[in-house]
Amino acid sequence: MLTYLVEELAKRHAITPEEVDKNHYALNLPDIPPVHLHDLSPGLLLQGEIGYFDPEADQEDLFIHLTKANFLGQGTGGGALGLTPTHSITFSKITLEDLSISQFEDFLEDYLNYLHYWKDHITPKGDE
């Protein structure tokens, strides 16, 4: 299912997704970190890095802010902000149903809007 959606998206929007492996694509779009699309059959997982944190610095305010945004998905549109062992901050969103191409475009657009917001929101100016 993901292959079909990505091929249709590429045709409609003149983009070139990168096939990472059989059920995993990466979208490299201007002004947005790479977005990884994973086929869950049924459903999709979208993931992207939005920034980094310094494990040596006091990050309590940042972590509280991210936790509050995650609470009931209210600050993330149903997605989730997370942390990785490599000190990056990620934004992920999942759907557990197969989507039509128009539903996929809406789902992706919603995801990209939140990804872009959080990237700008947590990245100190001058660190980009």
Side-chain angles (χ1 to χ4, degrees):
M1 175 58 76
L2 180 60
T3 300
Y4 165 75
L5 294 172
V6 168
E7 288 173 356
E8 283 298 309
L9 186 72
K11 285 183 213 174
R12 291 178 179 209
H13 301 283
I15 59 174
T16 307
E18 174 191 347
E19 185 173 12
V20 178
D21 61 41
K22 182 179 176 192
N23 296 312
H24 176 194
Y25 289 85
L27 296 179
N28 296 300
L29 304 169
D31 303 322
I32 298 176
V35 175
H36 294 269
L37 298 88
H38 301 270
D39 191 345
L40 300 179
S41 295
L44 302 169
L45 168 64
L46 306 181
Q47 289 182 306
E49 288 186 354
I50 56 172
Y52 296 90
F53 65 94
D54 179 356
E56 302 298 320
D58 179 11
Q59 299 291 320
E60 184 175 355
D61 289 342
L62 172 65
F63 296 153
I64 289 171
H65 187 61
L66 297 176
T67 302
K68 285 181 179 179
N70 274 339
F71 183 66
L72 302 177
Q74 292 175 340
T76 59
L81 295 160
L83 306 174
T84 70
T86 57
H87 314 297
S88 65
I89 302 168
T90 61
F91 179 62
S92 304
K93 190 164 182 172
I94 191 171
T95 179
L96 295 175
E97 57 188 47
D98 287 332
L99 304 174
S100 69
I101 185 63
S102 62
Q103 291 171 318
F104 173 62
E105 287 176 320
D106 290 344
F107 184 73
L108 180 60
E109 180 180 10
D110 185 55
Y111 172 83
L112 292 174
N113 288 335
Y114 278 98
L115 181 80
H116 193 39
Y117 168 80
W118 281 103
K119 178 188 173 293
D120 288 349
H121 191 70
I122 66 163
T123 303
K125 300 303 174 208
D127 285 359
E128 296 178 22

